[in-house]
Amino acid sequence: MDDTFAKTHFLTAAQRNTLNKLIGYIVLTVLGIAFFLPFAWMLSTALKAEGYVFAFPPQWIPNPVQWSNFVECMRVVPFGHYLLNTALITGISLVGMLVSSTLVAYSFAKLRWPGRDIMFVILLSTMMLPGQVTMIPIYIMFNRMGWVDTWLPLTVPAFFGSPFFIFLLRQFFMSIPTELMEAAKIDGCSNFRIYSNIMVPLAKPAIATVAILHFLWTWNDFMSPLLYINSPEKYTVSLGLQAFQTQYTTNYRLMMAASLIALAPCLLLFFFGQKYFVQGVIMTGIKG
Amino acid sequence: MNKSKSTLLHREALDGWLYASPWIIGFFLFTLGPIVASFVLAFMKWDLVNPPRWIGLDNYLRMFNDSVFWSSLKVTAIYSCFGVPLNLFGSLILALLCNQKLRGIEIFRTIYYLPSVVSGVAIGLLWKWLFDPTFGLINYLLSLVGIEGPMWLASETWALPALIVMGLWGVGGGMVIFLAGLQGIPLELYEAAELDGANRWNKFWQITIPMLSPVIFFNLIMGIISSFQTFTYAYVMTGGGPNNATLFYVLNLYYNAFLYLRMGYASALAWFLFLVILALTGLVFKSSPMWVYYESEVKGR
Amino acid sequence: MVNKRMVSIIVCIALLCCIAPSVGAAKKTITILQWMQSPEAQARWDKLMEQFYELYPDIEVKPIRTNEYTIKLQTMVASGNPPDVAEARVQWEYAMLAPRGAFMDLQPYIEKSTVLSRDYFFDSAYDLFNMNGAQLGVPINANLTCIVYNKDMFDAEGLPYPDETWTWDDILQAALKLTKDVDGDGRVDQFGMVVPTWYFIHYLGSRGINLFNEDQTQFLFDTPEAIESVQWLADLWTKHKVAVPLAGAAAVGERDVAFGFESGKAAMSLDGTWSIADYAETIQAFDWDVTLLPLASPGAPRIATMITGSYVIPKKAKYPDEAWKLIEFLLSPEVRKGDVARTGEVPAQIPVANSAEFLSNPLPPADRTMWIRGLESARFFIEPVTVLGMELNREINQALDQVWIGKKTAAEVMPPLTKRMNEELAKMD
């Protein structure tokens, strides 16, 4: 916005640009520090030696720096195994989620069918009932199905779409001009081709957002694995992190080191994945 | 076009159901049963141990005579009144800041999203330190300018505002969604507006906001839903205290379900909250034709 | 062709017959819900199970481990598929589930047992799990309340260390001297003590104040002694300002006591033996030690209070007999002696507490017979949560918040609170 803006005003474009950038950086940095604090605390705790964790106020730069925490936490817990489990669960559910949620959202946004609006209200309503009261009925259901202590409760439901992502994608699909669709229809395109060849490519930023958010949420999910997984060999990373805690003690330095390892794939994905939702397809030439 | 319009519409209706069927099937398989179960449980007494027993409307009657119910509703309403708009504006502003083309902006985006993914333990401990009345950073900063800071989480007055501030840390999720929305705005619109002599504000209000309105709408609806279901921070940080000043509706519900083992009453609480959220989001939906701008809306039949 | 088919069918049947008996005599797999364990503890568990399988080759034990113990147990119980053995802490899982009949009466097993009997346990711990004549749990440990103190701070003030002769007033006097502004910036940065608010129960207990009448029909929270005691505790924050200021209700929960003591901001901590092993590992910056809770007045009898956990068998357990065998094994003197040699816990079993393994454990205090003295003076002490349940217990705590932060006095809050609780109590039966 600022680049285009600078062209029309009385300060020289270069001056204006520099000023804007400077202000931008200052604001970004001040806010950034506030948002960076919890991560910084994790990092510094993960590098501390035993006995230095509870310095209060926090000692931000550990002295001594103990890198071995990262090695030690991997020894306590078969972390590689848990990472692999989590990657499998997340990957499987991600595929199911993307296919079904985009298709369902397209149907809600762009197709006319009897009962659509009622079904949409029902879809939204399912998010309005607090999960605390359906948790036990859901557990009983999966228990009767014999799904407890398997990955099925963590992956299968994703193949039927999630209301949150369906609603989000519907909003994006609805902002795509219908003229495009009409034109394709006149050319004889089926509804499915319109979905796969027009809607999905144009909604790439939204789909990338859904993919990233779903990845991060499934990766970090604690409650479902806690309820459904009993055997250590089926643990996810979030369950594995419990190992640094016992009834009376918490080993914060190892726990934070392990949390950072668990977090690393998320951070890398977010850092490198953002170009897909930020510099995605810019829909030029559509309007007018 | 050699097919008649009605066959086309028929075809579209068929495809519509077909494409929506994954969710519809999933709804009947996994979602409906537990929802019905909780609806029925709301008319029962169930302690998780002994078989549920039918008690009719008792749970609902009890609810309206329960002072804790009313106070938790009030706490949640106050939290939402401030929290929903603050979060919406916060995430929008962050998204606008992060949409600039600056070197290293990717790092800033990642940092803003960090609190949404870092460990809950780290966040909890850090906030405890920030808000600690004696050793905390916030009161230390206040003391530098000669203000004696409040007791924050131990104060009936300040605990709720403290939780509202904490909630603001999670704006990264909304920011990501807004960022995706901002990409859908065609640059030509801005260029055309500039030719008409529009300034920064004009462009923001007349292009960015209307073009972003479907996403604002989404974040508003989800903000209302999640804010009325707020639970985690209060559970971890205050346990609902002091003197129930931060006993959120869903925290009270959780206590009823898993601490007092009154699953029936908790279910009734859940269904009342469901109605409240449904009414509020319904209002937003009703108002949406006035302010949400879709490129072209396809009406259902 | 037909013959070939016949042969193969016969072979199949024969094979099935061979498999069938072994299926019939298959191992019974019992589950035990456990707290998360350190890798060392897990290795020891595996060793113990090898011993167990030698004794009972037809039983297989499958542990399920979690730190979200309560909710996992509740969900499993609610689904009708509970673990065969679970642990229940007296003020948590036991207080919630036992009154609702979730656990089996173990009395018949105990009567038949050659390993476990009433005499094997400290009475005060054993009786906590008796409800209307039914023994619903057998105690594992008997974690005593105690005072942990920072020796360096006492040395710096030239004060003697707290010992078993100290009274609560001695503690206050020491705390007053230990509360100070060390760096001279005008703000107090060293406090006399850390007090978790939920500790009031144990403070009252140590002063011999009964919260209920004999048959538990009357809540006695409005007696002058109870009111005075609660006010004395509140004064530590509001009047004497020797206690680390409260940072929030949940923020003064069990774990976060550490924010005061472990970080070296407080000279003493009202604490329990459950913290000791953790402190031994995490505190390296200063010397510390531990003693029993003080006396009500000079020469008064010592009264110790405890927080204990037990093994229970949920009613819908699939293999209760096998579950009992596991409990017997886990609580046997040999196994428990091995436990207490490694951890900081105080055992609820008399021979185990008197064993060399427990007494020679290197964790503080140096004289570990202190815990035996504590256990012998411990009294069967009824907490509000046991009689009134979780909800009213929470209501009491929320009402007392106003006293702790000095908004109201104990005399203002406690009489109406007691009246209300008694009304609720009357409705219960």
Side-chain angles (χ1 to χ4, degrees), chain B residues 134 239 243-244 258 260 262, chain C residues 74 100 187 245 391 394 398:
Chain B
T134 322
N243 199 17
N244 289 335
F258 294 105
Y260 320 149
R262 280 205 302 253
Chain C
Q74 284 170 342
R100 293 175 166 90
R187 289 154 50 97
E391 183 174 24
R394 185 171 183 281
Q398 291 295 313

Side-chain angles (χ1 to χ4, degrees), chain B residues 47-50 128 133-135 153-154 156 236-239 241-244 247 254-255 258-262, chain C residues 71 74 78 92 96-97 100 102 187 245-251 256 259 265 390-391 394 398 401-402 405 407:
Chain B
D47 61 5
L48 300 184
V49 177
N50 298 297
K128 277 175 195 166
T134 322
F135 308 113
L153 296 173
E156 283 182 50
V236 177
M237 305 293 298
T238 63
N243 199 17
N244 289 335
L247 185 69
Y254 176 86
Y255 284 154
F258 294 105
L259 203 58
Y260 320 149
L261 302 193
R262 280 205 302 253
Chain C
I71 197 139
Q74 284 170 342
W92 278 101
M96 278 181 197
L97 296 169
R100 293 175 166 90
R187 289 154 50 97
L246 296 173
D256 302 306
F259 261 135
K265 297 288 179 201
M390 281 287 173
E391 183 174 24
R394 185 171 183 281
Q398 291 295 313
D401 275 352
Q402 303 173 85
I405 59 181
K407 212 178 142 193

